[in-house]
């Protein structure tokens, strides 16, 4: 069993030999922050519903406050909008 691939295990088919069976990865549903575009994992963030019914999801109270002060995300260096505008990263 020392030659097994990590995350895999041997499984016997109904009427055949042992075969290597890959283990499925766990999937976690994430949302994107409407302001920073960071991933929001379950149990985090704050949801805001506007009067017109549009739903915004924020990663933290800082992003929520900046959104409500109408400060553009592209003006803040730590947001993905700024990084995209200034051609940083990929």
């Amino acid at each position: 069993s020392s030659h097994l691939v990590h995350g895999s295990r041997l499984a016997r088919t109904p009427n055949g030999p042992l075969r290597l069976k890959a283990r499925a990865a766990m999937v976690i549903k994430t949302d994107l922050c409407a302001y920073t575009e960071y991933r929001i994992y379950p149990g985090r963030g704050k949801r805001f519903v506007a009067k017109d019914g549009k739903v915004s999801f924020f990663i933290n109270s800082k992003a929520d406050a900046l959104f409500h002060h109408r400060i553009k995300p592209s003006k803040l260096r730590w947001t993905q909008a700024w990084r995209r505008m200034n051609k940083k990263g990929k």
Side-chain angles (χ1 to χ4, degrees), residues 27-31 40-42:
V27 178
I28 298 173
K29 188 182 182 307
T30 59
D31 290 312
I40 304 174
Y41 288 91

Side-chain angles (χ1 to χ4, degrees), residues 32-40 59 63 72-90:
L32 281 181
C33 176
Y35 192 79
T36 63
E37 299 173 37
Y38 289 162
R39 272 198 216 112
I40 304 174
I59 195 162
K72 293 178 184 175
S74 58
K75 299 279 184 185
L76 300 172
R77 288 191 69 170
W78 54 273
T79 61
Q80 293 301 310
W82 184 92
R83 292 184 61 80
R84 191 171 36 256
M85 191 179 81
N86 290 281
K87 297 181 171 71
K88 303 292 178 188
K90 298 177 186 175

